Amino acid sequence: MKVPRHWRETPRRYRMEAGKCKKCGSIHFPARLVCTECGTKEFETVRLSGKGELASYTVIRVAPTGFSDLAPYAIGIVKLDEGIRVMGQVADCDPETLKIGDRVTTQFRRINEEGKTGMIMYGYKFVPDLGL
Amino acid sequence: MKEVAIIGIGMIKWGELWEKSLRDLAVEAALKCFDDAGVDRVDTIYVGCMSSGLFNNQEHLASVVPDYLGQRFTPATRVESACASGGLAVRSAFLEVASGMSEYALAVGVEKMTDVDGGEATFGLATAADQDNEAFHGVTFPGLYAIMANAHMDKYGTTIEQLSQVAVKNHYNGSMNPHAQYPFKVTLDQVMNSTKIADPLRLFHCSPITDGAAAVLLVPVEKAKALNKPYAVITGIGLATDTIALCQREELYNLKVVEKSAQRALKMAGKTIKDVDFAEVHDCFTIAEIMVMEAIGVVEPGKGGPAVMDGLTALDGKFPINPSGGLKAKGHPVGATGVAQICEAVNQLRGESGQRQLKNAGTALTQNMGGSGASSVVHILEARS
């Protein structure tokens, strides 16, 4: 993977920047060029709260290339308080005790080290929301 | 549109075929199809293959296949829709015959997956998911279906025994299929105690990595009538697409793309699911078979698991599913799977399936899925003679 491929994604991976439709208010993450709800092509950039609840999850036992040092790890789909769903790992927890509906929040973490270039990629991971 | 018939099918033994190359597989299946149909030339070729670039460093199958099949200068097209590439190849061939553009259209599905190691194969398969928004976070394909399985269990109370029974049933059917990669029976205990892959899915809930190919020959129905032997007609085709990322779907416990594609195919055929006798469906993971049963309307949403336990979908059940053994036992060379489903359906419709022949096989449905339910192709086939 070349550096620009990750670099151009950093606004949403580092800051969870999404596109909010100027006409119907739908939020798209990642941002899109056309609104899937109303067809509008005008958006404003908004930052997501990163807080929400676990819609479903799994525990990856057989990991893909670049993730084997983490296995077993939890990964899930979180319904954010803004109403949209995003995927991410769920860290800092015992994967065996996770439940659908658990409250989670977001932290900035190391995601992966790309094999060919050694480039370290960062982004968000979910962690249990302890209300801190 | 012209009515389109299938007059030839070509299946080969699937497995880890170290001695055979990508092109060997495609050509072997196509030649068997030619023999079955009694032809040696075709007007057009569609090749369904997901990722020969990643698996074999070989693209441009639209030249490789006709070249090595002895069909130099024949028009050929490669189509790709991840694991639904095979079904899409058949649909593409159908359109070319139905339009009157060509008379003899070959659809070949092929995938040679063991030229790379397991990690690379897993990576290759994961390219059918959203690379930037799913694979980036470390999810695998079993992981995506495991997320759906957990959602289905949470919503409907589906159990691990029910997920496991799908594998027991499909391996029982596959034990009678000479082309299957794993033609042996498994017990519920073996499935439930196999290695964990992505909770709640274990190894025996997952289809394997496979080398394989399959081919079918499509012609206008009047050509089939002249042959004086049983054949099948394609009376309905439905293709649908959905979001590439699983997380962008409102509900994680159903497969809307399958519902839409099945509705389109049934509507085109002028039928309802009650008119269908059996189905070959995309059980890449056992939860997928349960969700497909619900999506095509064999059972109400949430009733798939109990129906499998009750034997509804067994070989001698009221609505047999995957008499071939499915992806689970037969194997899943991704680009070949959709074509092989059609081969099994035609084989059953012609009454030539031997030990696993269904008693009542007049109308078949095949369902071939791409990714985590991001695309789906459904065919309705009917027996004629």
Side-chain angles (χ1 to χ4, degrees):
Chain A
M1 189 182 286
K2 290 283 202 310
V3 170
R5 177 151 187 193
H6 181 59
W7 166 79
R8 67 174 173 256
E9 305 292 341
T10 52
R12 64 187 161 86
R13 286 182 182 163
Y14 288 13
R15 298 188 293 281
M16 293 193 95
E17 288 185 5
K20 184 175 181 181
C21 175
K22 284 190 173 174
K23 188 177 171 198
C24 75
S26 306
I27 295 173
H28 301 281
F29 184 76
R32 292 171 181 254
L33 296 176
V34 55
C35 178
T36 52
E37 300 302 311
C38 73
T40 299
K41 300 183 191 69
E42 288 181 45
F43 297 88
E44 61 176 315
T45 299
V46 295
R47 281 185 71 171
L48 301 176
S49 67
K51 288 178 184 288
E53 63 179 49
L54 202 53
S56 190
Y57 69 99
T58 183
V59 183
I60 301 284
R61 309 275 173 179
V62 179
T65 312
F67 290 88
S68 46
D69 56 334
L70 288 173
Y73 56 91
I75 188 163
I77 292 174
V78 171
K79 187 176 183 189
L80 296 178
D81 293 343
E82 292 88 338
I84 64 162
R85 291 162 307 280
V86 303
M87 176 167 275
Q89 282 184 35
V90 190
D92 294 1
C93 67
D94 175 0
E96 302 278 353
T97 64
L98 280 177
K99 298 184 306 297
I100 288 175
D102 280 356
R103 290 289 303 174
V104 294
T105 186
T106 315
Q107 287 187 356
F108 182 74
R109 295 290 176 96
R110 172 187 175 278
I111 302 290
N112 190 7
E113 187 172 316
E114 206 274 322
K116 286 178 186 161
T117 62
M119 176 173 58
I120 296 172
M121 291 183 281
Y122 295 90
Y124 60 84
K125 284 187 187 179
F126 295 103
V127 295
D129 189 350
L130 304 174
L132 301 175
Chain B
M1 277 204 308
K2 291 190 176 186
E3 197 174 18
V4 178
I6 297 178
I7 57 163
I9 55 175
M11 263 301 286
I12 57 171
K13 167 78 177 168
W14 287 4
E16 295 181 353
L17 308 174
W18 309 111
E19 71 285 8
K20 288 177 186 170
S21 69
L22 174 73
R23 66 188 72 177
D24 292 339
L25 297 172
V27 169
E28 258 187 58
L31 288 176
K32 283 187 82 171
C33 179
F34 280 10
D35 279 351
D36 185 45
V39 304
D40 57 13
R41 294 291 307 173
V42 292
D43 300 324
T44 187
I45 299 171
Y46 285 88
V47 183
C49 180
M50 175 182 160
S51 207
S52 58
L54 286 173
F55 293 138
N56 321 99
N57 297 331
Q58 178 68 65
E59 305 288 14
H60 210 173
L61 299 190
S63 167
V64 174
V65 172
D67 178 4
Y68 277 77
L69 187 56
Q71 306 286 312
R72 194 177 168 198
F73 302 120
T74 301
T77 311
R78 173 178 168 184
V79 298
E80 186 272 317
S81 189
C83 321
S85 300
L88 198 60
V90 177
R91 180 182 184 270
S92 305
F94 172 92
L95 293 175
E96 192 162 331
V97 175
S99 73
M101 179 112 180
S102 293
E103 290 194 319
Y104 291 86
L106 178 75
V108 191
V110 64
E111 211 78 55
K112 170 73 190 171
M113 301 173 72
T114 61
D115 277 353
V116 290
D117 65 32
E120 289 172 287
T122 303
F123 172 82
L125 289 168
T127 61
D130 186 330
Q131 277 298 299
D132 287 338
N133 305 295
E134 294 183 314
F136 171 78
H137 295 286
V139 79
T140 56
F141 247 90
L144 290 168
Y145 278 89
I147 287 170
M148 288 190 257
N150 268 334
H152 202 272
M153 292 165 118
D154 182 65
K155 172 82 177 171
Y156 297 119
T158 301
T159 65
I160 196 71
E161 286 84 358
Q162 293 164 355
L163 294 184
S164 304
Q165 183 60 31
V166 174
V168 173
K169 169 186 74 75
N170 288 352
H171 270 282
Y172 174 79
N173 296 352
S175 72
M176 292 174 276
N177 184 348
H179 297 123
Q181 179 174 11
Y182 296 130
F184 52 73
K185 296 170 194 165
V186 297
T187 65
L188 204 57
D189 262 3
Q190 283 175 311
V191 178
M192 290 179 62
N193 292 310
S194 56
T195 308
K196 287 181 174 180
I197 302 292
D199 302 5
L201 302 183
R202 292 171 181 262
L203 185 65
F204 280 14
H205 297 123
C206 308
S207 59
I209 284 170
T210 311
D211 301 328
V216 293
L217 187 75
L218 282 64
V219 296
V221 75
E222 56 269 23
K223 296 271 179 204
K225 284 176 183 164
L227 295 173
N228 288 319
K229 59 178 198 177
Y231 60 94
V233 285
I234 299 176
T235 53
I237 299 188
L239 170 64
T241 56
D242 200 352
T243 63
I244 181 74
L246 174 64
C247 70
Q248 299 209 335
R249 298 179 210 147
E250 294 78 8
E251 293 162 345
L252 301 171
Y253 46 79
N254 59 31
L255 289 164
K256 287 269 188 265
V257 76
V258 177
E259 187 183 322
K260 301 261 185 223
S261 56
Q263 282 171 353
R264 282 172 191 163
L266 288 165
K267 187 180 174 197
M268 180 175 162
K271 292 190 179 296
T272 72
I273 192 69
K274 290 191 169 55
D275 302 316
V276 177
D277 298 317
F278 70 100
E280 279 283 308
V281 310
H282 199 97
D283 60 321
C284 49
F285 302 94
T286 56
I287 181 62
E289 180 165 320
I290 288 173
M291 291 172 78
V292 170
M293 285 167 69
E294 296 169 3
I296 64 178
V298 175
V299 292
E300 299 281 307
K303 307 284 192 214
V308 172
M309 298 307 282
D310 292 345
L312 177 79
T313 54
L315 211 54
D316 58 356
K318 281 188 184 151
F319 192 93
I321 290 185
N322 286 328
S324 69
L327 285 55
K328 179 70 205 72
K330 189 176 56 192
H332 184 27
V334 281
T337 286
V339 182
Q341 291 177 326
I342 307 262
C343 289
E344 176 69 11
V346 172
N347 210 35
Q348 291 280 353
L349 294 171
R350 297 199 308 205
E352 295 172 356
S353 294
Q355 261 190 300
R356 65 181 195 286
Q357 177 63 45
L358 300 168
K359 288 196 186 79
N360 189 17
T363 302
L365 178 150
T366 66
Q367 184 272 327
N368 184 203
M369 191 129 53
S372 61
S375 60
S376 173
V377 192
V378 170
H379 286 81
I380 307 292
L381 298 106
E382 295 177 49
R384 296 277 172 85
S385 56

